[in-house]
């Protein structure tokens, strides 16, 4: 083959980042190809979009598929280089003057066919060198994929801990203000209880803030370990076949140990003590609610922003809860335009429920299957993500780091003050008060649940 044509062919099979033959090549939107490991390692912060390293065009890196044809051609090029190396005079068997084609997995030596069947080696496992090299390389690539998945998971968790750390003090202060405001509505003899509950809440808030910083530090350290191990495996993958086989060592075992003991996000709970007499005060405004049940594909659980808050990563990769045909909405028959009202619902041990009030606009649009937002909906909801539960309130959307109610939840609607409060009836504690609600009466009770 003409040397210029050969050089051009080799260039097409060479990654422009590492300048080696492709391993696990991927072709991005603009048509340029790179080794997957090279492409990943040059994206320091796991963005959704990045620029091509060749043409600077913006591209998206999610769900990149291996370019099988390019991978096979790169494998053939490596085999050609291997046979060129093995056919040299220095690599001939000194005893039988034959080409060394076999690899002994016991002592990592290259052998000719006659040596591999000798008494010294006949009980050892042998295979053709080119096969062994490709098998070792594929094992490395599989382990790299596992490492990268863990690196992405760790990155999402680190994002979540960073976000929660940034807003934690504000969350604690809001919770303190809400509980303090609730005590102001109670008789003066609750002063000592109020002082005790608020001091306990402040201490818990400080302890959790410290734990969040430690959790972030562990995840940041693990990120560097994962990236370092991934880069080491990538370097090994790019070695010439003979160097790869003879230098393989315990690298897979070491990479497996890196995957152990991955730091997990903290399960935050900022519980407050019970408020004596809370339910007695609210029962002064007690009303009986009549609910009309309708089968529905409710969008209450389809909040992209909630996924971002809960998971700490981009919308595209975040898992989410969607309504199923077994979900239902229950609308209250009553409507409210002014005054103060209190009622309770039983949630039991169920998950994926929402409970609150909505205005006429939200109700009509949800029935028409057109709404995905929270405007006009003032609710407390519980969603199950993997093995954990998350509580959140809407208008605005916010996570609530309190224990999940496991029996009755109460709602206090104050139309004049523009607030909606949720209480854990069994614990006689305040879950959250949504302040400064932009009500557009009439308001109607709503309850949604998904049966799994």
């Amino acid at each position: 083959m003409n040397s210029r044509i050969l050089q051009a062919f080799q260039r097409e099979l060479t990654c422009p980042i590492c300048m080696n033959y492709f391993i696990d090549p991927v072709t991005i939107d603009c048509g340029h190809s790179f080794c997957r490991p090279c492409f990943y390692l040059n994206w320091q912060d796991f963005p959704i979009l990045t620029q091509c390293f060749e043409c600077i065009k913006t591209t998206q890196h999610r769900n990149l598929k291996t370019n099988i044809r390019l991978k096979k051609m790169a494998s053939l090029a490596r085999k050609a280089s291997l046979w060129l190396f093995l056919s040299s005079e220095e690599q001939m068997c000194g005893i039988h003057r034959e080409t060394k084609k076999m690899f002994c997995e016991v002592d990592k030596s290259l052998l000719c066919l006659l040596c591999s069947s000798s008494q010294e080696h006949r009980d050892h496992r042998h295979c053709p060198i080119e096969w062994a090299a490709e098998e070792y390389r594929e094992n490395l690539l599989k382990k790299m994929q596992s490492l990268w998945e863990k690196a992405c998971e760790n990155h999402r968790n680190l994002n979540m801990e960073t976000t929660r750390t940034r807003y934690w003090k504000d969350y604690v202060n809001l919770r303190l203000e809400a509980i303090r405001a609730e005590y102001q509505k109670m008789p003066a003899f609750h002063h000592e209880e109020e002082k005790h509950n608020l001091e306990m809440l402040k201490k818990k808030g400080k302890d959790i803030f410290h734990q969040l910083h430690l959790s972030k530090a562990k995840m940041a350290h693990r990120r560097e370990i994962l990236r370092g191990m991934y880069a080491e495996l990538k370097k090994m993958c790019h070695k010439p076949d003979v160097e790869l086989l003879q230098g393989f060592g315990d690298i897979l075992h070491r990479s497996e140990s890196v995957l152990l003991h991955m730091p997990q996000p903290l399960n935050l709970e900022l519980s407050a003590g019970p408020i004596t007499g809370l339910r007695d005060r609210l029962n002064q405004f007690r009303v009986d609610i009549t609910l009309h049940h309708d089968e529905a594909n409710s969008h209450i659980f389809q909040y992209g922003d909630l996924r971002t808050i809960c998971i700490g990563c981009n919308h595209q990769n975040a898992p989410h809860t969607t309504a199923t045909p077994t979900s239902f909405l229950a609308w209250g028959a009553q409507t409210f335009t002014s005054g103060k009202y209190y009622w309770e619902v039983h949630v039991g041990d169920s998950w994926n429920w929402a409970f609150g009030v909505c205005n006429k606009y939200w109700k009509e649009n949800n029935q028409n299957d057109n709404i995905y937002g929270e405007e006009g909906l003032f609710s407390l909801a519980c969603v199950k993500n993997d093995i954990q539960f998350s509580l959140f309130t809407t208008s605005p959307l916010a996570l609530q780091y309190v224990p999940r109610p496991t029996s009755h939840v109460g709602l206090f609607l104050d139309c004049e003050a523009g607030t909606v409060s949720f209480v854990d009836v069994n614990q006689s504690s305040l879950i959250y008060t949504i302040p400064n609600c932009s009500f557009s009466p009439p308001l109607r009770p709503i309850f949604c649940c998904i049966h799994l």
Side-chain angles (χ1 to χ4, degrees):
M1 183 184 291
N2 183 286
S3 61
R4 289 185 179 179
I5 296 177
L6 180 60
Q7 289 175 0
F9 180 71
Q10 289 175 330
R11 278 197 302 270
E12 291 301 312
L13 300 178
T14 299
C15 172
I17 297 177
C18 66
M19 304 307 294
N20 292 307
Y21 286 132
F22 287 118
I23 54 168
D24 196 14
V26 292
T27 303
I28 59 178
D29 300 341
C30 59
H32 290 110
S33 300
F34 307 91
C35 295
R36 185 189 299 273
C38 297
F39 198 59
Y40 281 178
L41 283 175
N42 278 270
W43 280 359
Q44 295 296 323
D45 297 317
F46 303 79
I48 302 172
L49 298 174
T50 193
Q51 290 181 327
C52 171
F53 304 104
E54 285 282 272
C55 64
I56 319 300
K57 288 184 179 179
T58 301
T59 187
Q60 188 167 349
H61 89 296
R62 303 301 182 193
N63 302 318
L64 292 175
K65 295 181 179 179
T66 300
N67 188 326
I68 301 297
R69 182 174 302 230
L70 205 53
K71 182 176 181 177
K72 288 181 178 179
M73 293 174 68
S75 177
L76 289 173
R78 273 192 296 271
K79 288 178 181 178
S81 298
L82 171 64
W83 283 111
L84 187 64
F85 171 78
L86 294 177
S87 62
S88 64
E89 183 66 25
E90 309 87 72
Q91 297 302 317
M92 298 291 285
C93 174
I95 300 174
H96 304 104
R97 303 306 298 167
E98 288 190 4
T99 302
K100 298 176 182 178
K101 298 180 179 180
M102 307 302 291
F103 175 67
C104 175
E105 292 194 346
V106 175
D107 61 13
K108 308 298 182 185
S109 60
L110 306 183
L111 307 168
C112 71
L113 283 171
L114 292 173
C115 285
S116 66
S117 58
S118 66
Q119 185 175 359
E120 180 184 355
H121 289 282
R122 65 186 176 192
D123 293 330
H124 297 170
R125 183 175 182 269
H126 308 95
C127 57
I129 295 173
E130 58 187 54
W131 290 7
E134 286 303 304
E135 181 184 356
Y136 278 37
R137 195 169 277 113
E138 285 301 313
N139 287 337
L140 286 171
L141 288 172
K142 288 177 183 177
K143 188 56 62 179
M144 290 168 74
Q145 181 62 29
S146 298
L147 278 169
W148 192 254
E149 288 170 1
K150 285 295 183 182
C152 290
E153 176 189 331
N154 185 72
H155 176 76
R156 290 192 296 268
N157 292 339
L158 179 56
N159 272 357
M160 182 166 70
E161 297 297 68
T162 301
T163 300
R164 298 200 295 184
T165 303
R166 187 183 304 126
Y167 296 112
W168 185 251
K169 287 185 177 180
D170 290 338
Y171 175 77
V172 174
N173 288 333
L174 284 173
R175 187 137 177 73
L176 289 168
E177 289 176 12
I179 293 174
R180 191 177 290 116
E182 201 60 45
Y183 272 107
Q184 290 174 357
K185 304 169 188 174
M186 308 293 288
F189 63 78
H190 287 88
H191 176 71
E192 287 302 317
E193 179 186 288
E194 175 187 0
K195 181 180 177 182
H196 171 75
N197 280 348
L198 292 179
E199 286 180 352
M200 180 181 66
L201 202 63
K202 287 179 184 177
K203 183 179 184 305
K204 285 183 180 178
K206 288 181 180 178
D207 290 344
I208 290 174
F209 187 69
H210 178 65
Q211 292 171 26
L212 282 169
H213 275 288
L214 290 178
S215 180
K216 276 178 53 185
K218 289 179 182 178
M219 290 175 183
H221 180 61
R222 181 59 53 171
R223 176 184 58 191
E224 299 308 312
I225 292 175
L226 288 167
R227 290 184 70 90
M229 191 73 243
Y230 190 88
E232 187 178 344
L233 292 177
K234 167 182 170 287
K235 183 178 179 181
M236 179 64 73
C237 259
H238 277 306
K239 286 183 177 294
D241 288 355
V242 173
E243 287 186 44
L244 170 65
L245 293 173
Q246 295 181 330
F248 204 74
D250 65 344
I251 193 167
L252 286 182
H253 176 73
R254 288 190 293 110
S255 65
E256 190 66 37
S257 65
V258 168
L259 297 175
L260 301 176
H261 311 299
M262 293 290 295
Q264 297 300 313
L266 298 175
N267 184 19
L268 305 185
E269 274 196 5
L270 190 64
S271 56
I275 300 176
T276 303
L278 174 62
R279 193 183 183 201
D280 292 337
R281 182 182 73 81
L282 294 177
N283 272 332
Q284 300 174 49
F285 310 98
R286 186 71 174 256
V287 291
D288 293 323
I289 300 297
T290 303
L291 297 175
H292 297 309
H293 292 234
D294 293 312
E295 294 290 327
N297 273 329
S298 170
H299 300 303
I300 290 177
F301 300 101
Q302 296 178 325
Y303 286 118
D305 288 339
L306 173 69
R307 288 181 272 155
T308 303
I309 294 172
C310 286
I311 310 300
C313 66
N314 62 78
H315 295 237
Q316 185 170 344
N317 266 12
H320 61 281
T321 305
T322 57
T324 70
T326 55
S327 69
F328 70 85
L329 278 171
W331 305 101
Q334 298 90 330
T335 59
F336 309 109
T337 57
S338 62
K340 300 177 182 180
Y341 308 92
Y342 174 73
W343 64 93
E344 297 174 356
V345 297
H346 179 70
V347 296
D349 290 327
S350 61
W351 56 82
N352 296 330
W353 50 262
F355 162 56
V357 293
C358 67
N359 61 23
K360 182 180 179 181
Y361 170 79
W362 192 93
K363 180 179 184 296
E364 290 176 350
N365 280 274
N366 193 75
Q367 283 181 317
N368 294 332
D369 206 32
N370 291 327
I371 191 165
Y372 287 84
E374 56 174 298
E375 185 179 351
L377 174 67
F378 309 91
S379 68
L380 169 72
C382 176
V383 293
K384 186 172 186 287
N385 174 41
D386 295 330
I387 61 173
Q388 292 187 348
F389 294 90
S390 296
L391 285 179
F392 69 96
T393 49
T394 60
S395 301
L397 190 67
L399 278 171
Q400 301 301 326
Y401 299 103
V402 298
R404 176 176 65 97
T406 56
S407 182
H408 286 81
V409 184
L411 182 152
F412 178 61
L413 170 64
D414 189 338
C415 296
E416 277 66 43
T419 61
V420 178
S421 300
F422 300 96
V423 298
D424 186 328
V425 175
N426 277 16
Q427 300 300 318
S428 188
S429 61
L430 179 70
I431 295 174
Y432 186 67
T433 295
I434 304 176
N436 308 316
C437 297
S438 300
F439 293 142
S440 299
L443 298 171
R444 187 181 297 271
I446 181 176
F447 180 73
C448 179
C449 185
I450 296 179
H451 296 300
L452 300 178

